[in-house]
Each structure stands twice: as structure tokens, then as C-alpha cells.
Amino acid sequence: QVQLVESGGGLVQAGGSLRLSCAASGRTFSNYAMGWFRQAPAKVRSFVGALIWSNGKTYYADSVKGRFTISRDNAKNTVYLQMNSLKTEDTAVYYCAAREDRRWDAIDYDYWGQGTQVTVSS
């Protein structure tokens, strides 16, 4: 059974940084796409970025490009979302997700974490 557990959320001032972690278990994720999504209050969930586990290629939404970085640690089966230069509009619940193929741009990921709150204050 696939399990994704996010951690690392919290409260940070605008301009600051946070690193989210997504610990994945239950499968070998070498052929998976790992995505990060976020949902702000009263807004629909949106794509933040994704990583193809096998080759480490990353993809980002325009709104976070240049500020956020996704990486992985194979030994720990963990994916990270490094968030720099945070803005108040980055405030949201952030979700980690996994898809059983490399279609990182698909809407429907197969597995989701429980989410972690990120709040950016002005």
C-alpha cells in the first residue's frame, strides 16, 4: 500500500524559505511521477511542480519557477520541495502525490498525502 507523508510546513515571513518533505513507502517509485500541488482557501487545487523519479527531471508551474525546487533522495525514498522567496500568495495546504507512470502533467494522480499547511505572513 502506497503511503505518502508530508512534513515541513509552518509559518514563515514573506521572503523566507521552507522545505517540505514527502516520505514515500509501499512501492518502488522508480517509474513514478511525483507531484506537488497546493490548495489555498476557497480556491481549487493547483499544480506546483513534479519530478520524474527515474531521471530526476523536474517541471514547475510558472508561478513558482525560479523560486521552488523539487529534488529526491533515493536512499530515503523522499521527495523534497524547497521553497525560497516565499510570497503571501504561496499560502496554502501543500500536497504530495504520486502517479504510476511518468505523465507528470496528468490531472489525476493515483496517490495523495494528507497535506501540510504553509502560511506566509507579510
Side-chain angles (χ1 to χ4, degrees):
Q1 181 179 353
V2 173
Q3 190 171 18
L4 304 174
V5 179
E6 301 102 331
S7 60
L11 174 64
V12 64
Q13 284 193 324
S17 298
L18 276 177
R19 188 177 79 160
L20 306 184
S21 300
C22 173
S25 62
R27 291 281 169 85
T28 300
F29 293 91
S30 56
N31 289 320
Y32 277 55
M34 303 297 294
W36 285 97
F37 294 78
R38 65 186 181 186
Q39 187 166 17
K43 291 192 175 181
V44 298
R45 188 168 58 198
S46 63
F47 173 80
V48 174
L51 173 142
I52 306 302
W53 201 296
S54 59
N55 60 20
K57 287 194 71 174
T58 54
Y59 306 87
Y60 300 96
D62 287 343
S63 59
V64 305
K65 206 172 288 183
R67 298 189 298 123
F68 290 11
T69 303
I70 300 175
S71 61
R72 71 192 186 307
D73 184 326
N74 289 328
K76 296 182 178 180
N77 244 25
T78 298
V79 176
Y80 302 99
L81 178 65
Q82 177 68 44
M83 304 184 294
N84 299 329
S85 303
L86 281 161
K87 306 175 181 179
T88 55
E89 52 263 44
D90 294 317
T91 295
V93 177
Y94 283 71
Y95 297 90
C96 173
R99 187 178 163 87
E100 293 178 341
D101 57 33
R102 301 183 184 188
R103 290 177 54 202
W104 61 270
D105 55 345
I107 296 174
D108 52 339
Y109 275 58
D110 299 301
Y111 307 99
W112 293 84
Q114 82 287 352
T116 186
Q117 176 70 47
V118 171
T119 303
V120 184
S121 63
S122 58

